[in-house]
Amino acid sequence: MEKVFKNSDGQELAASTYGYKKNPLVIFLHGGGQTRFAWEKVAKKVSCKGFYVITYDLRGHGDSFWSEKGNYRVEDHKQDLAALLKSLNKPANLVGASLGGMTSLLFVGDEKLSGFCKTLIMVDIGIYPNQEGSEKILDFMSSAKDGFESLEEAANHISKFLPHRKKPKDLSGLNKNLRKKDDNRFYWHWDPKFLEGREGRNSKEYFKPLELAASKVKQPTLLIRGALSDVLTDEEKDFFLEKVKHAEFEEIENAAHMVAGDKNDIFQAAILKFLKKNNQMLFNN
């Protein structure tokens, strides 16, 4: 079901919901350059196992509002998440990939908001993302500023960036991550302003609030890493587990930074095992 939430400024956040509201809540937060549809398969599966699932487009992405002032700090995303959860008045199991993980971590580390979080799952992101790996992603997001002539051209462009992933035969799903403009060309479905000031994101100071937040996390936590990832390397993984000592860790073979897209079935199994254990629920297999 499609739904719209509003942040504290009345700006709209586009969301999709799955399952029944009475069930324990799971919120999936996508990474930079993605949309809520990146979680579609896993959201459906998790909802069928007894959870109420919400996926939403982060500000500047997909069908959610695009900030005229280019306010795309992690803190801005955190405040949007806070408004969403306050409107539901229900604690959530947070599952965040990359930017979504940083947003979730900053949220949980805020003592005024942490009561709205039941568990935390970080997907291929720690506290300080590997600079080289992060730059590759930002370079990709900055590419193709003139758009694509066709979905096929876009798919070929993505395949060059993700050579380990098999190119899909059905390209219709790309329509959810691209928008067709009046010139009949396809463009990325995120605000170009999102990439402004990217140099600052390479500094330790930019991510320092995440380290402080990590030191305050008390909720059950799971860190998932794609074994091929160049964003969450062994060094970043070890640093996170040092700061959040009670966190569990899962590594998924033959998956890179986009873990859910690379190995969806294995990813689903890992998070469902964690969610079931920490929500004290009985499920039918």
Side-chain angles (χ1 to χ4, degrees):
M1 180 183 297
E2 300 306 300
K3 187 174 177 62
V4 172
F5 293 95
K6 291 188 177 182
N7 69 1
S8 58
D9 295 323
Q11 303 276 23
E12 294 186 346
L13 298 167
S16 298
T17 65
Y18 308 82
Y20 301 98
K21 287 186 178 181
K22 66 179 181 179
N23 291 336
L25 175 62
V26 180
I27 295 182
F28 286 89
L29 296 91
H30 63 76
Q34 295 182 313
T35 69
R36 67 189 189 276
F37 298 109
W39 298 115
E40 191 169 26
K41 288 182 180 179
V42 67
K44 289 179 179 177
K45 182 66 176 287
V46 170
S47 70
C48 288
K49 294 297 183 178
F51 292 93
Y52 178 52
V53 178
I54 296 175
T55 66
Y56 74 96
D57 291 334
L58 301 182
R59 61 166 64 197
H61 293 73
D63 300 314
S64 287
F65 79 97
W66 291 14
S67 171
E68 292 182 3
K69 296 181 179 179
N71 292 333
Y72 294 122
R73 300 171 303 156
V74 180
E75 174 67 26
D76 298 318
H77 295 293
K78 183 193 88 170
Q79 293 302 331
D80 290 342
L81 175 60
L84 189 157
L85 277 170
K86 286 178 180 178
S87 72
L88 294 169
N89 195 28
K90 184 175 183 178
N93 299 276
L94 299 178
V95 184
S98 200
L99 174 61
M102 291 187 282
T103 300
S104 301
L105 178 59
L106 196 63
F107 179 92
V108 179
D110 187 328
E111 294 173 346
K112 296 179 181 179
L113 299 171
S114 61
F116 283 99
C117 177
K118 193 164 187 177
T119 67
L120 173 66
I121 300 179
M122 301 281 287
V123 184
D124 211 70
I125 194 68
I127 296 169
Y128 296 99
N130 180 272
Q131 183 174 333
E132 185 177 348
S134 297
E135 277 299 310
K136 288 180 182 178
I137 294 174
L138 292 172
D139 285 343
F140 175 75
M141 291 180 66
S142 301
S143 66
K145 292 180 179 179
D146 295 326
F148 303 101
E149 184 178 0
S150 64
L151 293 179
E152 180 72 25
E153 184 182 358
N156 290 335
H157 187 75
I158 294 170
S159 291
K160 290 180 181 179
F161 180 64
L162 302 172
H164 63 284
R165 188 185 296 183
K166 188 176 181 180
K167 179 181 172 182
K169 294 180 180 179
D170 182 4
L171 303 181
S172 60
L174 281 176
N175 279 312
K176 296 175 180 178
N177 293 303
L178 297 166
R179 57 171 57 185
K180 196 172 186 179
K181 294 187 177 181
D182 292 339
D183 60 2
N184 287 322
R185 293 182 67 82
F186 295 89
Y187 294 83
W188 298 127
H189 211 12
W190 61 75
D191 186 354
K193 289 181 182 178
F194 175 76
L195 295 175
E196 292 179 0
R198 56 180 284 188
E199 295 81 8
R201 298 175 210 178
N202 291 330
S203 69
K204 285 273 187 179
E205 285 303 310
Y206 183 85
F207 296 104
K208 195 69 177 178
L210 294 177
E211 183 176 349
L212 179 61
S215 68
K216 298 180 180 180
V217 174
K218 297 181 176 62
Q219 289 81 350
T221 301
L222 172 63
L223 176 64
I224 296 180
R225 176 178 182 255
L228 303 177
S229 174
D230 57 1
V231 175
L232 183 67
T233 64
D234 284 334
E235 182 180 354
E236 284 84 34
K237 178 259 292 184
D238 291 342
F239 186 74
F240 181 90
L241 294 177
E242 177 186 331
K243 292 296 180 181
V244 188
K245 295 186 183 300
H246 64 276
E248 301 176 35
F249 175 69
E250 291 272 356
E251 183 166 273
I252 298 180
E253 294 184 1
N254 299 316
H257 186 55
M258 310 298 182
V259 181
D262 289 345
K263 293 292 177 180
N264 195 271
D265 290 345
I266 301 173
F267 174 74
Q268 286 178 15
I271 67 169
L272 274 170
K273 178 182 176 182
F274 180 81
L275 289 171
K276 291 177 185 178
K277 178 176 68 175
N278 289 290
N279 284 269
Q280 298 180 344
M281 298 175 63
L282 295 176
F283 293 83
N284 294 319
N285 291 325

